[in-house]
Amino acid sequence: MKTRWEFVLLPSFVIIGILIVASQYVFLNGSFYKDMGLGRIGDSATMVNYIRFFTDSFYLNTLWITIKTSALASIFTLILGFPVAYLIARMRSHWSMLLLAGIVVATFVTIVIKVFGLIILFSADGLINQVLMGIGIVDRPYTIIGNQTGVVVGLMHFTLGFGVLLLYSVIQTIPRSLEEAAQIHGASRWRMHMRVLLPLSLPGVTVGALMIFNMSMGAFTSAALLGGGRVFTLPVLIQRTVMMEVKYSMAGTLAAVLLVTVLLINLLAIFLIRRLRAARLVIA
Amino acid sequence: MAIDKSNQTSSYSSMDMVTRLAARRPVGPPPKRGLPWGKYFHYFFCSLSYIFLLSPMIVVIGASLHGGEYYTAIKFPPDEPSLQWYWKIPKGQLEALGLSFGLAGLTALGACIIGIPAALGIVRGKIPGKTLISAVFRAPLQIPAIVTGIAFLQLYYLFGDATGLYFQGTFLGLYIGHLFVATPYVVGTVTAILQRFDTRLEEASFSLGASKLSTFRRVTLPVIMPGVYAGALYAFMVSFGDVPISIFLTAPGFVTYPIELFYGMENDFDPSILASASLVIFFCLLVLLGMQKLVGLDTLLRSGSR
């Protein structure tokens, strides 16, 4: 009578497993060969690409910019996203559906379209510059295209919708009654947030923050279009190395560094959370 | 913190009622007088977030209505609104849209075919190392998207060199890449629903004489359906909006809509792009409305992304 569910799983597991192992193996392996130009690679394994990466300040700087913009975007996404997620999660009227719909649409519309809107908005004769110059805050058109501010704004547009949805599901798991209990006992709004909401949501928020950070580290579109060929993050550089320089091995090396960096940062974060939890600084 | 999840799904739990009744009468110290500035600040801050989040899309739709001369065509707010650009969307963009729709639809379907059995196996199978197995199914989401793109490109080159079958720039090649990143969403949403599934429903069905297959079709499937819809929607949207994977796996003359837009923006763009982009935004709204009618947005989200 019992169904053997583990056999149901098998075909899917094999398909995904093969795809993961094969794709990851091929580029990791390729990263250990030397590019010979025109997409051909040398025949003996070497560390030359990795040595080049870690000795060339351009590549190291790219890695640093990638981490910096991703971290900034994650922090600002949390700051902008948490109040919205809290508002929607605690709302009792049907308006919450409308607010939620706004977030979901922003999440689902492809980032290319959103970046498109940003570029129009921030163009030299765009709405923002008209307003800024009209008030007299700036006397020359201000642009976010081609600088790191632009990349951070672009990354935020990529992650904010997802971030709000993640935080929304985190806040929903915290019973409203706990907050009400705190307020009935005379806690101020601020105190309730700091002593009840924050500790309870912290584990979920950290996991969400890591996801947002991971998304930003791999984000190509917003960084490529708003970087305008002047700001290079690792994803942008990977695409250029393949499409313009046709150096598959070097691109493989860059991809490997990106993958390992993301992995290390995640492990580090998990380790730190464990330590904090053990020290009872975080309740979870 | 062990919090009973089933308590939150019903919005009128007894505890909730008690606190709600209690909240009507002032208990504890009387509330402070004056305006609730904290609340106003919260609303103000949230509206800023919404403006930030939604303004690019509003700008795209607004600018697509511009009716003036060709050379000053990208303008927001638009003067003399007209729909002229909607009639001038070139064939290339329409073909790209068609490809994206087909690809995303098939990706959603394929992700369900792979993802639903996977979720069933993860939740119900009696196998050691379940955490590891579900980690494998989640892995495509942990790998940065651009890495997946270049990894599949190189895999296809190697496979082509070995067998003579080059997947790069073909529909199948693109499809496999999209399926790879879309499947985890279905696995995630269906797993979330299955974990709350009351197996007594199935036992009842068996004891009433239903066969295994008919129980699955008439009891299990309807219960997990919201999760399937949610997962399929995520899969569709991820595929429909993808750039970092498609950019490596498409070829000239064979591009998805986001890639067409991407290259269109790198070069000088034609305002008809704004029109087609607005159509895509409206399409997303429409899908959302459909989902709201079908399963409800909160169910959609409660089954959890990722």
Side-chain angles (χ1 to χ4, degrees), chain B residues 58-79:
Chain B
I58 293 166
V59 166
V60 166
I61 295 173
S64 77
L65 297 174
H66 182 70
E69 292 297 308
Y70 185 84
Y71 290 106
T72 55
I74 305 275
K75 202 151 189 237
F76 183 85
D79 17 282

Side-chain angles (χ1 to χ4, degrees), chain A residues 92-134:
Chain A
R92 286 194 169 117
S93 73
H94 287 294
W95 287 98
S96 65
M97 277 299 119
L98 195 69
L99 290 179
L100 206 53
I103 301 291
V104 178
V105 166
T107 314
F108 282 162
V109 170
T110 169
I111 179 70
V112 194
I113 293 179
K114 289 187 271 184
V115 171
F116 206 170
L118 278 179
I119 290 177
I120 297 173
L121 210 49
F122 279 93
S123 61
D125 56 352
L127 191 65
I128 289 187
N129 274 315
Q130 279 177 16
V131 171
L132 285 182
M133 296 211 288

Side-chain angles (χ1 to χ4, degrees), chain A residues 31-100:
Chain A
S31 71
F32 289 105
Y33 291 85
K34 198 171 181 327
D35 284 296
M36 307 300 280
L38 297 171
R40 285 175 298 123
I41 56 170
D43 11 80
S44 58
T46 149
M47 290 296 283
V48 69
N49 291 326
Y50 287 92
I51 292 168
R52 173 132 181 251
F53 185 96
F54 287 105
T55 50
D56 191 328
S57 64
F58 172 70
Y59 286 122
L60 287 176
N61 196 32
T62 303
L63 178 62
W64 167 236
I65 289 174
T66 314
I67 296 175
K68 189 171 84 177
T69 50
S70 300
L72 283 175
S74 311
I75 292 168
F76 287 129
T77 296
L78 285 184
I79 293 175
L80 278 188
F82 194 88
V84 177
Y86 182 75
L87 181 77
I88 302 175
R90 290 297 185 246
M91 213 173 215
R92 286 194 169 117
S93 73
H94 287 294
W95 287 98
S96 65
M97 277 299 119
L98 195 69
L99 290 179
L100 206 53

Side-chain angles (χ1 to χ4, degrees), chain B residues 15-39:
Chain B
M15 188 58 203
D16 221 28
M17 281 300 281
V18 170
T19 45
R20 232 179 260 188
L21 287 173
R24 284 201 193 132
R25 271 181 296 126
V27 183
K32 286 186 212 109
R33 278 170 198 277
L35 293 167
W37 287 112
K39 211 169 195 170

